[in-house]
Each structure stands twice: as C-alpha cells, then as structure tokens.
Amino acid sequence: MLFPTVTFALFFAVVLPLNWLFMPRPARWKIFILAASYFFYGYWDPIFILLLAGSSVFNWTMGAVIHQAQADLVRRTWLAMAVIGNLGLLCYFKYYDFFLSSATNLLDRVGIGISPQIVAITLPIGISFFTFQALSYVIDIYRGSTEPVRLMDFAVFLSFFPHLVAGPIVRASEFLPQLKERHDPRRIDATRAFFLIFIGLFKKVVIANFLATEIVDSVFGSPNQHSALENLVAIYAYAVQIYADFSGYTDIAIGLALLLGFRFPLNFDGPYTATSMQDFWRRWHMTLSRWLRDYLYIPLGGNRGSGGATYRNLMITMLLGGLWHGAAWSFVAWGAIHGGFLSLEHWRRSLRVARGEAEPADTVVTRTARRILTFHVVCFAWVFFRAENFQTAYDVLGRLVSGWGNPSPLVTRSVLLVIALGIGTQYVPKDVLGRVMATFSRFSPVAQGVALGFVLLLIDTLGPSGVAPFIYFQF
Amino acid sequence: MATSTEPHVPRHRRPSRRRLSAAGNVLLTGFIALGVGWVLNAPGILKTAEGMPLGWRRDLAVTFAEPVAEISSLLQLDRPREWIQGTIDRSGEDDIEVSLPSPTTVPENSPTTTTRRRRTPAFTPQDPLRAWVGGDSLAITPGQSLIPLLDETGAAAVVGPVDGHVSSGLARPEIFNWPQHLSGVIAAQNPRALVLTLGSNDDQPLTNAPGGGTVGSVGSPAWQDEYRRRVGGLMDTVAIDGRVLFWIGVPIIRDGGRYARGYEFINTIISEEAEKRPGRVYYVEIYTPLSDKGAYADYLPNPSGELIQVRTGDGVHYTRAGANIVANEVMERVHEAFDLDTWRDPPRTTTTRARDREAEP
C-alpha cells in the first residue's frame, strides 16, 4: 500500500479514529495497531506477514535469552546467533542471487565453470529496515542500554506501519518508552503532522516524479544520446529527485506517526546545505547513519585507533552502507566514493591538528565554496547510485566532457525551476516554517481542511499521472 | 558518516505558539481536506477510477466519482484544475476518449502477397529515417537500448525519448487511448518508423467495445474478434502513407499459466494481423530469444558465456541485458524494412549489437 494513494487514504481514515478510540486501553490498542500494520504489510503479499511475525518472535526470543544469560561468553554466543540470523535472512532475500552470479562469473573467468541454481528470490519490501531495527533492539539489550519488553510490545515496535517499509529506522529505545506514555487525544501536534504529510506528498508526487519523467529516466537510460548539458542537469535533477522521493516518504511517515500519537526521529535536515561530507551524513538519512555509526563504525574501533585504522573503519562502514542499499557493485562504488572522501576529510583534519594549524576561517565565501564542493562530490556519487551499471555511469560522466554544443531539449525552464526549488527550500530557515505553522494552527479546523484541500488540488494537478514506487522501497 | 559519539537527541521542539488539536478536530480537518481535494480534483479522480482494474472496486469507485464530478462541473469547482492544467500545457489531460478505430485493410488471400518484392527505402544522414519508440512499461528499457542502436546507423533520427505509458494497452481505452495518441504523434512528429510495444496489459476483458459494452472472458471467440479489430485498427491508423510499424510481442514470462491463458492469444493475433500487412507492419517475436530452450529464464548466457540476468524480479520486465536482446531483434526487422547502410562507403552490412557491447555482470 503506497502512501500517496486513495487506498491508503481510506485505510488511514479508518485507522486514525480507531487508534484514538482504542488508545485508553493499551492492551486492545496493541492488538488493533498490530493487526492494522500486518494488514498494511500484507497488502503487498500476505505471505510476508509470516516473515515479519517470524522476525518478531526470533528477535524477541534472542533479546530475552541474552538478558537472562549470566556468563559473558553465553551472552556473546546468543548475540552472534541473533546477528547471524538477521543478516542471514537479509543475505538470503537480498544478496543470494547477486553473490551467486558474481561468484559464478568470477570462477568462469579463471576457467572454473559451474552452473549454480539461481532462484530469483522476491525481495520482501522493507526487510532492510525492519532487520536493522530488530538488530538495534537485540544489541541494545546485550549492551544493557535497553530492557527486554513483552512480545506484543516488541511486535508493535517492529511492525508499526508508518515506519515499516522505508524508515525512518526507529530504535527500540526511542519507540518502546512511548508505548508506556499516556497519549492525550486533546493534545495532538496536528499542524506539524499535516505540514509534514502534505510537504512530503508534494515532494514525492510533484518534484520527484516530475524530474524522473522529464529528464532523469531518459538521460540515464541512454546518456550518449543526450548533450553534456542534459547529462549535467540530469545529475543535479537526480540529486533532487532522490532527496524529494526519500525525504518525502519519511516526512509522510513522521507526520502519520504524529497523528497516531508517536514521535519519530528526523531523517533529513537540509542535506544539500552540508559543508563537508561528514556534515552531509549528519543531514542525510540520519537514522541510517546513526545506526551505522553506533552498531558498526564504533564497534570496529571508530576513530580511536591509528589514522590507518580510522580510514579502514570508515571504508568498511561506507562500503557496507552502500551494499545495504542494493545488491549491485554500483552501490558498493557509491559507498566507496563516500568512504574515500570521508577519509580524505579526516586525513586533512588530522594533518591540520598535527601541524597545530587553526581551523580555516568560516566566512560566507569559504562556506559557500565548501557547500558547492560537497554537493558536487555527492552528485558524483549519485551517478553510480542511479546508473544501472558501471558502463552507464561512465557514459554519463564521459558525456560531460564530450557532449557540449549539442541541442538540449530536455533542459527546460520547468526542470531548472524544480531543481532550484528542491535545493533552495533546504536553505529556508526553520523558524520561517515554524511561524507559518503557528499561524496555521490558529485557523479553525474547517479553514485548515479547506486550505489543505487546495494543496491537494496543486499536488494532484501538477504531479504526473500514476504513482511511481518510492526509490527506497527496493532497499 | 557521522563520527561524533555524542548521543543523538531527536529534535521535536514544538514552538509554544503552535496550538495543539483534539483528535476530533484532526479528523474533521482531515475529512474536509479530503472532501475539498476530491471536489476540486473530481475530473482526475473520475479518470483514475475509470482506469482501475475491472471489478467491484472499480464499479464502486466510479459510482462515487461520477456524481462528484458532475457536481464539481455544475458548480464550476473544476475550473481551478483546468486553469492550472492550461498554465502548465496539460489541457485535456482529464478527457476520456474511448472510441477505437476498426481495420481498413482488406485481407488478401493470395500467399504471394507476403513475398511481394518491393524497393527498400534508403536513408542517409542528410535524410534520416525518423523513428518513434514507445508503448507500455515493457517498451521503456528496450526503447532505451534501441535508441542508441538506431543512432549508430547514422541514418536514423529518433524523434524523442521513449514514449512509455505504464499499464496501457488496447483493452482499456479509458486508461490510455493508443490510436488517438499515435495519431497525435504522427501529426506532430511525422515518424516514418514506429516501434511499438503493447499487449502485456491486455489479458483482461475489453471495455468500450462497439455498442458500449465489455467483452469478457479472455481468449473467447468474441474476445478474440474484438481484440483483432482493435489490433488491426491500430495498425491501419499507423502503417499508412509509407509509415512502417514494428510491433514487439509479449515475451515469455515466469507465470506460464498467465501466458497460456492470455498472452498466447495476444501474440497470435498481433502476428496474424501483421502478416496481413506485409511491408507495412513487422511483428517482432521475442518469446524465443528470451527463453532458455523454450522455458522461462531469469538468467541467460551472453555471447561470451557469462550468465547475465535478463529479467527483473517480477518475472515480466527486462533488465538492461534483456532489453538489449529485444533491441537487437527489433534492429534486425528494421534492417529488413529500411536500407540504413548503403550511404556508407564502403557499404556496411552489420551494426554493433547491444548484446555484444553489454558484458558487464
């Protein structure tokens, strides 16, 4: 069930009032919201409800036995089993065919021919997200930072439908305490929720879909048939498209959760205003970068060891972060580019510290230069992320050199305007939106509804027909 | 990657000036927003409802959408939508045109008609073959593979990016009316060759048949007659005045039962109708090139023997490598129909094949 559809609107129109009717009785509410979430998930393929339920039971059991075990070795053993179980499930569904065909072709090149059984496994939607959430629960129990909860509470946490299929990656420590809170049905932050939902819809339906259909898909489909300018603008357009697509989804998810009485962490914070790659990762898919930092980078040693160890840890983290996105070498290359530039930044910083040099002056000029540089490094990496294979990525980049002087019919004023809108709005100060929301919250419910109805008019009329799946659904 | 070890504090600061709402008011706002949005977008919602898969859900949606659209029109509440569409050059997007043309070609019984010799039109860089590529979702990746192959000939110019319209076909003209659309394409862009992929969404009852009814039961004699009428009518709309239509058939799919129940009839009808129009319509058969000894396969060996994934996870659509196979099949038919080589000196007899260029795992 996609968020920007009539089907989901009907689903939510039923769930929202029932949610608040059941809320005073937590036991019944949990059964209700679990059933609603399973219905939402099973709408794609009911068989995968078993997978979600199985993951809930497995991880809850692992959390319980780790908590009960006394000896450190036993606790570690159970933790290892939990990690292997979760990653094994992920590998089977997501990477089995990829590794098998890669290995087959590699062996073939060295003269060893094998004919493995390639089974074309269907990837359950959202598996990367709920697997990481489940792992955070088990690891936090192992670390002693989270207490085990009842199976029903854990199942609700893992399957809560607003975050189920494409994040944000909510941790147990952020969600489970909210199950114990008293949710007051008279104090809902509805204005913020409605703004998030409608801004998210606009980003997805209008901006992301428009750029995809007007330029990105055509250029990345056959880069050599397009001019250098078209290739360049298509790269910028894809940067805006993926931001609008993914942040639009999480905006909607956070807004829906707010209407149901739950708070989710932010996932995006103006990523294209970043002044460095490190800053970018503090603003882009923040819940994933936090997860990778706390459950992979720091356990690997983080930046506590020598310079070499830090670079190794950064590269491992970003390579695996790339592979998390999809079973293809181009995602690994995307991770390698980010890891490489993060290492470069770290090296420059270390060098400066070793020489006793001061931080460079933070002026408007230097900040602007850093933002432009960071944005272009990110765009360079997006080329590999978007391209279907390395050849296409090389074609796109090569065309930037060789394709000048040709006509560029796809570079229209509308495309440039939407790209400028997608980047420019990230620079709007937060208090401006805060003031607008404060004013809106003082309108009567009827006036709010009419205003939002007109926003729906804009979204539906400006958006291309049909709803493309969210890019991050495939991850 | 954030390397700071500071604990993350979710930022949910709510400026004190923002008023909180009661659940009842939230519901009221939400329902009013949906209601106002529905009335203002009524023509688009009616079109969406008409385009839903046939069944009780569609009937129910149309039942609700029709009166709202009438009220919206009566009160002129659909004007803002019309005005926005006009401003962004998308006027008429909500119009629904359901009539489909019938064939005008008279079947010729003599077998010699299919082997009639004719002069192959030759094209040059100065006078290139204008080509259009489009169709349903199965047209998109093969189209993207085909465009560079046509371009490489040096004697063909593709008139735009792939003109793909997902979920479209000939079964449901209320979703997308292909004959009408192609008439517009021909008037505006004057292509000489049209490469069309249609059929994979047509294994369903045929709505808006002559008389206004729906012809159900895929594969029944009535269904076959009506589908044949639509296929022939489209061919005769396009393949006239020297234009040539290349119609890509439906590939083998993972769901063999679905193929046998519907796609087999569809491919047969398209190929038979193409045969009735020799030199004007070419049927591009891709069932065989995408099968592994007659069976469905996600992976096929490329020319160097490497296993390459040719189909996506849904068992229907193509990966880039699979799309290249389709594009190569089309190019063979294009070279049968047009002379794109003799302008070169010395004359070339082969073109680069996409499959040979694609060797990446």
Side-chain angles (χ1 to χ4, degrees):
Chain A
M1 206 183 294
L2 291 168
F3 284 165
T5 57
V6 174
T7 311
F8 180 78
L10 292 172
F11 167 79
F12 196 70
V14 173
V15 168
L16 182 61
L18 291 176
N19 172 77
W20 287 105
L21 278 177
F22 282 115
M23 197 65 97
R25 295 183 175 83
R28 290 183 190 177
W29 177 84
K30 286 170 191 169
I31 294 169
F32 162 72
I33 206 70
L34 189 65
S37 296
Y38 279 7
F39 177 80
F40 172 83
Y41 193 60
Y43 203 81
W44 275 285
D45 190 343
I47 195 74
F48 289 134
I49 293 174
L50 293 175
L51 182 74
L52 185 59
S55 177
S56 300
V57 172
F58 173 75
N59 285 290
W60 177 81
T61 309
M62 288 291 116
V65 294
I66 288 170
H67 185 69
Q68 283 170 3
Q70 300 296 322
D72 198 41
L73 182 66
V74 178
R75 285 160 46 78
R76 276 182 192 225
T77 306
W78 283 118
L79 177 67
M81 282 185 65
V83 171
I84 291 168
N86 278 293
L87 296 185
L89 189 74
L90 196 57
C91 283
Y92 173 72
F93 280 108
K94 196 163 177 176
Y95 304 110
Y96 177 84
D97 281 351
F98 167 67
F99 283 128
L100 205 59
S101 59
S102 295
T104 306
N105 291 335
L106 188 68
L107 290 172
D108 197 46
R109 281 177 193 175
V110 296
I112 305 169
I114 59 168
S115 300
Q117 183 67 34
I118 291 173
V119 287
I121 300 157
T122 304
L123 180 69
I125 204 157
I127 189 170
S128 305
F129 289 91
F130 70 69
T131 301
F132 270 31
Q133 292 191 169
L135 272 173
S136 78
Y137 171 78
V138 176
I139 296 171
D140 284 352
I141 287 179
Y142 173 79
R143 290 173 175 174
S145 57
T146 292
E147 290 291 309
V149 293
R150 293 180 175 196
L151 176 59
M152 177 57 90
D153 287 9
F154 180 71
V156 168
F157 155 63
L158 204 63
S159 61
F160 190 52
F161 73 85
H163 69 59
L164 179 57
V165 294
I169 300 172
V170 184
R171 294 188 190 186
S173 58
E174 291 164 337
F175 186 87
L176 291 171
Q178 294 186 55
L179 288 180
K180 294 176 185 160
E181 289 175 8
R182 184 175 163 272
H183 298 270
D184 188 343
R186 293 162 304 177
R187 295 180 58 77
I188 302 171
D189 194 356
T191 299
R192 181 166 184 262
F194 282 131
F195 267 63
L196 283 165
I197 292 168
F198 282 79
I199 289 172
L201 282 172
F202 191 87
K203 283 180 182 173
K204 166 62 187 167
V205 178
V206 181
I207 295 179
N209 287 0
F210 175 80
L211 291 175
T213 52
E214 290 297 311
I215 187 164
V216 175
D217 292 348
S218 295
V219 171
F220 276 86
S222 50
N224 287 327
Q225 310 315 307
H226 297 279
S227 70
L229 184 63
E230 284 176 321
N231 276 271
L232 183 66
V233 173
I235 295 170
Y236 294 149
Y238 183 66
V240 173
Q241 183 203 338
I242 192 167
Y243 164 74
D245 191 285
F246 191 22
S247 75
Y249 181 89
T250 50
D251 284 350
I252 298 169
I254 295 168
L256 293 173
L258 262 181
L259 289 181
L260 296 171
F262 288 83
R263 300 177 306 278
F264 284 175
L266 278 184
N267 217 17
F268 292 88
D269 185 15
Y272 296 144
T273 66
T275 53
S276 67
M277 293 304 286
Q278 190 184 37
D279 189 23
F280 175 78
W281 279 102
R282 285 178 176 150
R283 296 168 177 275
W284 176 271
H285 204 174
M286 292 148 72
T287 55
L288 175 68
S289 66
R290 280 191 301 137
W291 197 100
L292 291 172
R293 180 193 68 196
D294 293 347
Y295 299 111
L296 186 58
Y297 179 69
I298 291 174
L300 282 170
N303 56 3
R304 295 189 299 273
S306 64
T310 301
Y311 305 138
R312 179 203 62 200
N313 297 339
L314 276 171
M315 287 306 293
I316 291 172
T317 304
M318 295 314 299
L319 288 173
L320 291 176
L323 199 57
W324 176 87
H325 283 87
W329 291 111
S330 50
F331 289 115
V332 179
W334 174 80
I337 293 167
H338 276 275
F341 277 95
L342 282 167
S343 299
L344 189 67
E345 278 181 3
H346 193 273
W347 173 74
R348 285 195 58 200
R349 213 167 26 246
S350 309
L351 207 63
R352 212 166 38 234
V353 171
R355 289 176 179 168
E357 293 173 2
E359 287 277 322
D362 184 25
T363 63
V364 174
V365 175
T366 56
R367 205 180 314 133
T368 305
R370 282 201 296 267
R371 277 178 171 152
I372 292 172
L373 183 65
T374 304
F375 177 67
H376 282 85
V377 170
V378 170
C379 284
F380 172 63
W382 284 140
V383 173
F384 291 86
F385 195 93
R386 171 61 179 81
E388 288 176 26
N389 49 44
F390 283 114
Q391 187 56 52
T392 306
Y394 299 148
D395 287 347
V396 170
L397 295 172
R399 197 68 182 156
L400 293 180
V401 179
S402 64
W404 292 100
N406 297 327
S408 305
L410 298 185
V411 182
T412 60
R413 266 187 299 183
S414 310
V415 166
L416 295 175
L417 183 72
V418 173
I419 292 172
L421 184 74
I423 297 172
T425 48
Q426 298 185 32
Y427 285 89
V428 175
K430 287 188 181 63
D431 61 332
V432 171
L433 190 61
R435 280 200 294 273
V436 175
M437 285 198 283
T439 306
F440 184 83
S441 71
R442 283 168 170 72
F443 291 178
S444 70
V446 175
Q448 288 182 351
V450 171
L452 293 174
F454 273 91
V455 178
L456 282 179
L457 166 70
L458 275 181
I459 292 170
D460 195 60
T461 312
L462 293 178
S465 59
V467 181
F470 287 94
I471 294 173
Y472 265 66
F473 271 29
Q474 63 185 298
F475 307 143
Chain B
M1 177 65 202
T3 54
S4 164
T5 53
E6 290 174 13
H8 173 82
V9 181
R11 282 181 275 178
H12 295 298
R13 286 174 300 178
R14 181 180 59 79
S16 56
R17 291 174 297 155
R18 201 157 70 229
R19 281 189 189 161
L20 300 179
S21 309
N25 285 343
V26 173
L27 285 172
L28 183 62
T29 302
F31 283 124
I32 289 173
L34 290 176
V36 171
W38 187 351
V39 172
L40 295 174
N41 290 309
I45 289 173
L46 176 59
K47 188 172 185 184
T48 305
E50 295 260 16
M52 286 171 68
L54 295 177
W56 67 268
R57 285 195 185 92
R58 176 183 179 269
D59 296 343
L60 192 68
V62 172
T63 303
F64 280 106
E66 264 178 348
V68 177
E70 282 173 19
I71 293 167
S72 177
S73 173
L74 195 69
L75 301 177
Q76 302 197 345
L77 292 171
D78 53 2
R79 290 295 170 87
R81 184 178 169 92
E82 273 180 33
W83 179 79
I84 295 172
Q85 285 176 331
T87 308
I88 58 174
D89 245 4
R90 279 166 40 187
S91 294
E93 203 173 62
D94 296 333
D95 297 345
I96 303 172
E97 170 56 57
V98 295
S99 66
L100 294 169
S102 293
T104 54
T105 295
V106 179
E108 297 178 52
N109 294 325
S110 166
T112 55
T113 54
T114 56
T115 55
R116 182 187 297 156
R117 280 186 169 273
R118 63 187 184 86
R119 194 162 158 264
T120 308
F123 292 89
T124 65
Q126 292 74 35
D127 177 26
L129 169 70
R130 290 175 63 79
W132 169 94
V133 184
D136 57 25
S137 61
L138 281 174
I140 295 171
T141 41
Q144 290 166 347
S145 294
L146 179 65
I147 290 172
L149 294 186
L150 286 165
D151 197 53
E152 277 176 20
T153 65
V158 182
V159 295
V162 181
D163 192 2
H165 297 267
V166 296
S167 305
S168 64
L170 292 177
R172 306 278 305 278
E174 68 276 19
I175 294 177
F176 194 81
N177 191 317
W178 272 105
Q180 185 191 35
H181 178 70
L182 288 175
S183 296
V185 167
I186 289 165
Q189 299 175 314
N190 192 28
R192 179 80 185 269
L194 294 97
V195 181
L196 178 69
T197 304
L198 281 187
S200 65
N201 298 308
D202 288 343
D203 55 335
Q204 57 175 312
L206 308 171
T207 61
N208 295 292
T214 296
V215 180
S217 191
V218 178
S220 66
W223 185 95
Q224 289 191 54
D225 288 347
E226 173 58 13
Y227 194 68
R228 190 179 294 281
R229 184 187 75 81
R230 295 177 184 209
V231 168
L234 175 61
M235 289 176 173
D236 289 340
T237 301
V238 172
I240 51 173
D241 301 332
R243 276 185 294 277
V244 178
L245 174 66
F246 301 87
W247 193 318
I248 303 173
V250 183
I252 184 170
I253 60 169
R254 189 183 294 148
D255 183 352
R258 183 179 180 187
Y259 188 91
R261 286 191 302 273
Y263 292 160
E264 198 162 346
F265 294 109
I266 289 168
N267 277 346
T268 302
I269 289 170
I270 297 168
S271 66
E272 286 175 356
E273 289 302 307
E275 275 180 29
K276 291 177 189 169
R277 296 161 177 84
R280 291 165 51 203
V281 181
Y282 289 77
Y283 171 66
V284 184
E285 195 273 315
I286 51 165
Y287 184 98
T288 312
L290 283 161
S291 67
D292 183 9
K293 300 183 186 101
Y296 173 82
D298 283 306
Y299 289 75
L300 287 174
N302 69 2
S304 54
E306 276 184 330
L307 271 181
I308 299 287
Q309 188 176 357
V310 294
R311 308 299 285 270
T312 56
D314 62 9
V316 177
H317 292 85
Y318 313 108
T319 63
R320 174 60 55 211
N324 289 341
I325 294 172
V326 177
N328 287 326
E329 294 296 323
V330 175
M331 283 308 289
E332 288 187 10
R333 299 290 90 74
V334 170
H335 281 293
E336 277 177 34
F338 301 109
D339 178 359
L340 303 175
D341 299 321
T342 52
W343 67 271
R344 294 180 192 275
D345 187 23
R348 276 168 49 126
T349 54
T350 58
T351 57
T352 310
R353 291 171 65 86
R355 205 185 316 182
D356 300 338
R357 295 189 310 146
E358 178 69 43
E360 193 178 312

